[in-house]
Amino acid sequence: DQQVKQNSPSLSVQEGRISILNCDYTNSMFDYFLWYKKYPAEGPTFLISISSIKDKNEDGRFTVFLNKSAKHLSLHIVPSQPGDSAVYFCAASDGGTSYGKLTFGQGTILTVHP
Amino acid sequence: SQTIHQWPATLVQPVGSPLSLECTVEGTSNPNLYWYRQAAGRGLQLLFYSVGIGQISSEVPQNLSASRPQDRQFILSSKKLLLSDSGFYLCAWSLSGIRSPLHFGNGTRLTVT
């Protein structure tokens, strides 16, 4: 049972435009959400997180939006740059544990064209 | 600052051979440690996590085991590898006691032939 889903395997965007990556979850106990970026042959790098007490969190060009009623989160990258081309994973954890037991989505390959 | 080291970067092993992957963390004490695996075309799956020396929790029953002989050392092992053990193995750490992101090593690409 896939509790975190990224339904778009890939996304192609022009440089300078907005990239929107989507993620849906089914477990209502999830209350902490993260986005990671991964280049080939490297480990994922943490980008941004959001707690369920918020609906938006910004860090530079990256903004994460959380819609708890829809069990949906999204990552906006504005403006997109060619260096943003990578695989993006969303992840979630529930409040029942203080350990970093994250449940990951399958990932979305973002390609930003010059 | 904290750093995580994971080795080897790539490994090709025959079926039935043993496995030992090692991970060490520097710059922090008593971290939570994790082993994840990414199979081809799939997300990251948590295999093991540890909140302290000698304390290992397994998330998925399988052919692998983990050990934490020292505070900042985490080892993934197998006595006999299966073809299905092929994948990209990632070690990660996080601060203990608080909600914090995981920080990953660069991974080991394991191919079982």
Side-chain angles (χ1 to χ4, degrees):
Chain A
D1 176 34
Q2 192 96 31
Q3 296 188 64
V4 178
K5 296 182 182 180
Q6 294 175 255
N7 292 317
S8 297
S10 62
L11 175 67
S12 184
V13 172
Q14 202 72 27
E15 182 179 6
R17 299 289 187 102
I18 184 172
S19 294
I20 300 177
L21 299 136
N22 294 304
C23 180
D24 297 295
Y25 61 96
T26 58
N27 188 342
S28 58
M29 297 300 293
F30 286 150
D31 65 349
Y32 182 54
F33 305 89
L34 307 91
W35 284 95
Y36 283 82
K37 172 182 178 180
K38 184 182 180 302
Y39 293 118
E42 293 185 9
T45 302
F46 168 69
L47 276 177
I48 192 168
S49 64
I50 188 167
S51 164
S52 61
I53 62 173
K54 294 185 174 182
D55 55 18
K56 178 182 174 181
N57 189 27
E58 288 182 80
D59 185 0
R61 296 187 297 115
F62 301 92
T63 303
V64 56
F65 294 92
L66 176 62
N67 183 332
K68 291 185 291 293
S69 60
K71 294 190 176 68
H72 177 84
L73 66 154
S74 61
L75 175 68
H76 293 209
I77 306 174
V78 183
S80 301
Q81 299 173 355
D84 295 329
S85 298
V87 180
Y88 288 78
F89 291 97
C90 67
S93 72
D94 66 54
T97 175
S98 62
Y99 317 128
K101 289 163 59 178
L102 300 181
T103 300
F104 282 82
Q106 312 95 303
T108 296
I109 301 170
L110 173 65
T111 304
V112 180
H113 298 283
Chain B
S1 64
Q2 302 91 351
T3 56
I4 179 168
H5 303 280
Q6 188 180 341
W7 66 93
T10 60
L11 190 60
V12 180
Q13 293 282 99
V15 168
S17 64
L19 173 73
S20 181
L21 302 180
E22 190 164 341
C23 171
T24 58
V25 179
E26 296 178 358
T28 187
S29 296
N30 194 33
N32 294 334
L33 297 173
Y34 312 85
W35 280 109
Y36 277 82
R37 176 172 61 196
Q38 182 184 15
R42 302 185 65 179
L44 282 70
Q45 180 186 39
L46 178 63
L47 303 176
F48 301 95
Y49 70 92
S50 171
V51 299
I53 296 174
Q55 301 178 61
I56 309 294
S57 295
S58 173
E59 290 294 300
V60 181
Q62 59 205 314
N63 187 41
L64 303 169
S65 62
S67 61
R68 184 171 178 174
Q70 300 180 44
D71 180 45
R72 289 169 290 175
Q73 183 185 27
F74 207 23
I75 298 171
L76 183 69
S77 304
S78 173
K79 292 182 179 178
K80 290 185 178 181
L81 284 168
L82 306 172
L83 285 173
S84 58
D85 291 324
S86 293
F88 191 52
Y89 289 83
L90 290 153
C91 181
W93 72 272
S94 69
L95 295 172
S96 62
I98 61 171
R99 238 24 190 314
S100 65
L102 268 64
H103 302 279
F104 287 87
N106 278 332
T108 296
R109 172 70 60 192
L110 172 66
T111 303
V112 182
T113 60

